[in-house]
Amino acid sequence: MSAPETIPGTPDTPLYDRVCVIGLGLIGSSLLRCLMADRGLAGEVVACDRSDAVCARVAELAIADRVENDATLAVAGADLVVLCTPVGAYADVAALIGPHLAPGSTLSDVGSVKQAVVRDVSPHVPDGVHFVPGHPLAGTEHSGPDAGFKELFRGRWLILTPPPGTDAAAVDRLGRLWAACGSQIEVMDASHHDQVLAITSHLPHLIAYTIVGTATDLEETTKSEVIRFSASGFRDFTRIAASDPVMWRDIFLNNREAVLEMIQRFTEDLTALQRAIRWGEGDKLFDLFTRTRAIRRSIIDAKQA
Ligand SMILES: NC(=O)C1=CN([C@@H]2O[C@H](COP(=O)(O)OP(=O)(O)OC[C@H]3O[C@@H](n4cnc5c(N)ncnc54)[C@H](O)[C@@H]3O)[C@@H](O)[C@H]2O)C=CC1
Ligand SMILES: O=C(O)C(=O)Cc1ccc(O)cc1
């Protein structure tokens, strides 16, 4: 699906009458900021988090019309509810809010995995509520409501994974909301999403956690040198390895099959490189590094096109 050309809504006739965002960290608070900046998207913006401190901070930042600590009250009368908690909390949150979702409303999310989300949330979605899972391919290593910003989704992909048979109008309407936040929309099935994200996002994060963990386990003197002299390669890994531990624990536990398959393939390729280094097979190293450089260049070219 390409970005729709129609104007998403106006303050008089907004795209959704009431949008409720549950989980007010980096992603939830960025979405709130987008909704508050464009009053054609939501007539009323309701924010909900289980943490009193987070609710208080969101009220202070004034990035919602109303802040609710109780999710059952927060979702009442909303025609769009977006789950923005770590995915490990989805089953509990869905069980809690399911009976309170308005008929005809849409339930969505921003979770980094999609098959487990369908597994955990679908059983709690009442008949007549449209369930349209989503994933913005946009983020940082920071967490919490202060980390969010309204430009986060600009120029980034937003993947929707509606289960077969989902109402097309509900999918289109949600796509228009994200397009208005600056995202480019793609629709795919949940299992394909999880395969693609396992190699493009989940494995890179696992490698970063591993490298930084390995450096941390080095003896004290070497460790302090690593920190002191860390060049850009290692520094990039430390940025990614600073990502939220709860969120990433939940991602790996909930995309187990695809991640394990990618680890297997990666391990085999790493072993091949290990052999090439051991036996001085410079051609093999050169050939691989030449191919990977071409991939990097094609990504940059595609971005500039
Ligand atoms: N951080 C990133 O770069 C990206 C994250 N995502 C997805 O977005 C979701 C949220 O991630 P972040 O915003 O980074 O997390 P975050 O850690 O910044 O915020 C999560 C918020 O959820 C709240 N929360 C946790 N359990 C809750 C519950 N049971 N009920 C109500 N609130 C609850 C926490 O109090 C916290 O305020 C995750 O599912 C993640 O996979 C998607 C794209 C990028
Ligand atoms: O900070 C980075 O480099 C990221 O990769 C952010 C990110 C984290 C999780 C996602 O599901 C999508 C994007």
Side-chain angles (χ1 to χ4, degrees):
M1 191 167 95
S2 57
E5 303 202 349
T6 49
I7 296 165
T10 66
D12 290 335
T13 51
L15 192 58
Y16 292 94
D17 289 329
R18 184 181 294 169
V19 176
C20 171
V21 176
I22 303 181
L24 309 176
L26 169 73
I27 303 295
S29 75
S30 296
L31 178 56
L32 289 178
R33 287 173 168 94
C34 293
L35 297 172
M36 293 298 278
D38 180 351
R39 294 314 318 214
L41 298 179
E44 189 187 12
V45 178
V46 182
C48 174
D49 201 285
R50 69 165 179 194
S51 153
D52 288 335
V54 169
C55 286
R57 184 62 186 144
V58 167
E60 207 168 73
L61 291 166
I63 51 173
D65 297 315
R66 183 153 63 85
V67 184
E68 286 281 358
N69 189 239
D70 181 333
T72 64
L73 295 178
V75 302
D79 48 359
L80 174 65
V81 174
V82 188
L83 304 180
C84 300
T85 69
V87 291
Y90 278 17
D92 286 347
V93 176
L96 184 68
I97 63 172
H100 303 273
L101 293 171
S105 66
T106 295
L107 175 62
S108 188
D109 81 303
V110 295
S112 305
V113 303
K114 294 275 62 90
Q115 278 173 295
V117 165
V118 174
R119 178 198 67 203
D120 290 348
V121 174
S122 296
H124 305 290
V125 181
D127 286 346
V129 170
H130 310 293
F131 178 38
V132 188
H135 178 202
L137 303 192
T140 72
E141 69 280 21
H142 302 298
S143 307
D146 284 290
F149 52 102
K150 77 174 186 327
E151 296 79 15
L152 178 64
F153 310 114
R154 200 173 286 168
R156 311 305 295 265
W157 287 104
L158 183 288
I159 300 179
L160 295 175
T161 64
T166 306
D167 181 60
V171 178
D172 181 67
R173 193 171 168 204
L174 185 62
R176 278 189 277 151
L177 180 133
W178 281 109
C181 298
S183 296
Q184 246 182 297
I185 316 302
E186 184 80 21
V187 178
M188 63 176 71
D189 71 59
S191 93
H192 186 63
H193 168 279
D194 288 356
Q195 283 287 330
V196 172
L197 269 292
I199 183 68
T200 57
S201 175
H202 305 169
L203 186 61
H205 275 78
L206 194 70
I207 292 168
Y209 281 123
T210 313
I211 283 197
V212 178
T214 304
T216 310
D217 290 341
L218 297 172
E219 63 277 12
E220 272 314 311
T221 42
T222 319
K223 196 165 59 181
S224 60
E225 298 295 87
V226 167
I227 291 164
R228 197 156 156 230
F229 297 123
S230 77
S232 62
F234 187 74
R235 281 179 87 92
D236 289 350
F237 282 120
T238 60
R239 182 189 76 75
I240 294 178
S243 301
D244 188 69
V246 172
M247 170 183 148
W248 281 97
R249 176 201 64 194
D250 289 0
I251 289 172
F252 290 117
L253 295 182
N254 285 287
N255 196 19
R256 192 190 313 247
E257 300 301 322
V259 170
L260 287 177
E261 190 192 319
M262 292 308 163
I263 293 173
Q264 179 62 33
R265 295 173 76 133
F266 177 76
T267 309
E268 286 167 19
D269 290 345
L270 190 62
T271 303
L273 281 183
Q274 191 179 17
R275 280 181 64 89
I277 294 168
R278 184 183 308 284
W279 299 110
E281 296 169 340
D283 288 355
K284 277 196 181 155
L285 299 175
F286 181 82
D287 287 349
L288 174 68
F289 300 163
T290 305
R291 280 192 287 131
T292 55
R293 174 183 258 194
I295 296 238
R296 168 72 182 177
R297 288 183 174 161
S298 62
I299 290 172
I300 301 291
D301 290 348
K303 253 191 148 173
Q304 283 164 351

